[in-house]
Amino acid sequence: MKIAIPLDENKQDVCIVLSRAPYFLFHEDNEDTITENIAENPAAQAQGGAGIQAAQFLVDNGVNVLITVRCGQNAADVFKAADMKIYQSANKAAADDLTAWKEGKLSELTKFHGGFHGVQ
């Protein structure tokens, strides 16, 4: 199971803007090992279409679960096509959201906004 969370500049807190997050935390929990790495978001500085670019980056990285504060409709459509589950972040720290998700305390995100279309 591979989980992604958008991160702020401090690489610990959940970024409130998915597509423009500077980084993503990738947490992978296999039967015998847990691995984590942080990757730069290639869509963070995109002129346009950042939501779709960020979504495709996560899909290309094999993410099964996304934990985020909010999500635009275009990105959500990409995630749905990839059968990715999206959960609503409930904590400031990404580590706390991971724990909450593992304990079944996060709700699925079902409402998506129209996007910010170039507003950073």
Side-chain angles (χ1 to χ4, degrees), residues 43-107:
Q45 301 301 320
Q47 290 292 329
I52 291 175
Q53 290 178 44
Q56 191 61 54
F57 176 68
L58 297 180
V59 169
D60 290 347
N61 275 279
V63 172
N64 309 99
V65 171
L66 170 66
I67 300 171
T68 186
V69 173
R70 60 185 177 217
C71 181
Q73 186 63 56
N74 290 340
D77 291 344
V78 172
F79 298 140
K80 286 178 186 177
D83 290 325
M84 189 183 302
K85 295 285 187 182
I86 308 168
Y87 290 88
Q88 176 87 50
S89 171
N91 300 283
K92 181 177 180 179
D96 293 341
D97 268 345
L98 281 171
T99 300
W101 180 81
K102 289 176 183 179
E103 294 173 351
K105 295 180 180 177
L106 296 183
S107 301

Side-chain angles (χ1 to χ4, degrees), residues 11-32:
K11 298 181 182 179
Q12 295 177 8
D13 293 336
V14 179
C15 185
I16 63 169
V17 181
L18 170 68
S19 60
R20 302 279 181 190
Y23 304 100
F24 284 106
L25 168 67
F26 293 111
H27 174 93
E28 194 160 6
D29 195 347
N30 294 320
E31 291 179 21
D32 298 327

